[in-house]
Amino acid sequence: MLPRLSHEGTTNDSEDEEEPERPLSEFYPYIRCALCSRFLIDATTIIECLHTFCKSCIVKHFFYNNRCPTCSTVVHQTQPTYNIRPDRQLQDIVYKMVPFLEESERKQMCQFYKERGLDVPNTVVISPPGPVVIKRQKKENIPPSVFTIPPELDVSLLLEFVGAEEGIANYKPLERRYVCVSGEATVRHVEIFIRRMMELSSACQVDVVCGDHLLDHFQSLKDIQSFVGEEALQDGLLVLHFGLVLPSQP
C-alpha cells in the first residue's frame, strides 16, 4: 500500500489506523529521472543494474554512451537499447503519487500529434471527465486468495547457500530463498539480488552453480533451465546453489 501524501485530502474510517503523512519530496529519489530531474515518464529500467529513467532520456543518453548514467555499468557493448525494459508497475505508482501528471502527459502527446497533422493514437486519447464513483468492497466479500503470479514471472527459483570462503564474514543470512522472476533475467540479476539481501561487500565474489555447471553472468534463467533440464529442477523449482568466495589474485 502506498503511503498517504500530504497533498491528498482523504479521510479514513474510524476503524482504520491513522497513516502518517509524508511529503512527496521524500519519494523523489524513487520517482524522478536522474537525467532530466523530472517525474518519470515511460519509466524504463536497465536490466543489467535495475536503474530506471524516462524512456526518452535513456534512449538519448545511449546515442553517445553505453554505460548506465547512475552506476556506469556497461549496458551493452554495441546496442545498449537491447538491455532496457519498460517498468509499467513503477510508472503506475508515479501516476498515482503525482496528481494530474498522467492527464498532463496525455494532453501534451495529443498536442504533439495535432500540431504535426497526425492522427492521435487511441492510447493517448483523453476521455471526457465523468462522475467519480468509489465503491468500497466489504471485507467478507474478498475471496480467500486473490494473488496470482503475473505471467511474465515464469521461473521459480530456489536459492541454496553452500557457504563462504574463509576470511569472509559480516554478511546477513538470505531470508528469501524462493523467488519468482522472469525467464529473461540473467545470473547477473540473481547475483545483484543476493548481494542486496545479504548486504555483501564489493570485495566478495558470488559464484552461482546449477547442477555441476558454474554459471556465467550473461546466461539467462530460461536458457539455463532448458540446457540443464530436469536435473536442475526440484518440485518445479529451478535450484541454484551459490557460494561466497574471495576474488582470485592475479
Side-chain angles (χ1 to χ4, degrees):
M1 179 183 295
L2 293 174
R4 190 180 64 179
L5 304 178
S6 58
H7 54 67
E8 294 180 347
T10 58
T11 59
N12 296 334
D13 295 337
S14 57
E15 62 184 15
D16 294 337
E17 293 183 1
E18 189 69 22
E19 297 180 3
E21 295 185 356
R22 298 181 180 178
L24 183 61
S25 58
E26 184 176 331
F27 301 92
Y28 280 178
Y30 312 104
I31 62 176
R32 293 209 304 185
C33 173
L35 289 172
C36 67
S37 299
R38 299 177 180 176
F39 294 116
L40 289 167
I41 298 295
D42 286 340
T44 302
T45 298
I46 299 174
I47 64 174
E48 291 297 316
C49 58
L50 307 183
H51 289 123
T52 305
F53 310 89
C54 299
K55 181 178 180 179
S56 60
C57 293
I58 193 61
V59 170
K60 291 177 183 176
H61 172 81
F62 285 151
F63 284 164
Y64 57 87
N65 198 317
N66 66 348
R67 293 179 178 270
C68 170
T70 300
C71 65
S72 297
T73 297
V74 175
V75 179
H76 192 283
Q77 291 293 347
T78 57
Q79 297 291 340
T81 53
Y82 287 173
N83 288 343
I84 58 176
R85 299 290 185 272
D87 195 332
R88 296 184 179 88
Q89 289 182 331
L90 177 57
Q91 189 61 62
D92 288 342
I93 291 173
V94 174
Y95 282 151
K96 285 180 172 65
M97 297 183 71
V98 185
F100 313 117
L101 177 64
E102 183 175 15
E103 180 182 356
S104 173
E105 179 64 18
R106 289 181 183 275
K107 287 182 178 179
Q108 291 183 31
M109 292 180 68
C110 286
Q111 183 179 358
F112 173 87
Y113 284 105
K114 289 179 180 178
E115 288 178 351
R116 288 158 178 78
L118 303 174
D119 294 332
V120 180
N122 292 333
T123 54
V124 297
V125 172
I126 302 175
S127 302
V132 178
V133 180
I134 301 176
K135 296 182 179 180
R136 296 182 63 87
Q137 189 176 27
K138 295 182 179 180
K139 293 182 179 180
E140 55 267 21
N141 292 337
I142 299 177
S145 177
V146 295
F147 176 77
T148 55
I149 298 177
E152 61 269 20
L153 303 182
D154 51 1
V155 174
S156 298
L157 291 181
L158 170 58
L159 302 176
E160 293 282 12
F161 180 47
V162 297
E165 187 177 352
E166 184 177 356
I168 299 178
N170 299 325
Y171 56 83
K172 294 177 60 178
L174 183 64
E175 297 179 353
R176 292 183 58 187
R177 298 171 53 222
Y178 301 93
V179 187
C180 289
V181 296
S182 167
E184 301 298 329
T186 64
V187 175
R188 174 62 176 168
H189 296 126
V190 176
E191 179 189 342
I192 292 174
F193 173 78
I194 293 172
R195 286 187 175 278
R196 289 182 178 176
M197 293 297 101
M198 300 183 68
E199 299 182 359
L200 301 177
S201 68
S202 57
C204 179
Q205 178 178 318
V206 180
D207 283 350
V208 184
V209 177
C210 184
D212 297 328
H213 305 276
L214 179 62
L215 305 178
D216 291 317
H217 287 168
F218 63 84
Q219 291 180 275
S220 71
L221 300 179
K222 186 180 297 183
D223 290 341
I224 295 169
Q225 189 168 325
S226 60
F227 173 73
V228 182
E230 294 296 326
E231 177 187 350
L233 300 180
Q234 176 181 317
D235 297 328
L237 302 174
L238 177 62
V239 182
L240 299 181
H241 295 83
F242 70 94
L244 309 181
V245 298
L246 294 172
S248 56
Q249 298 296 327

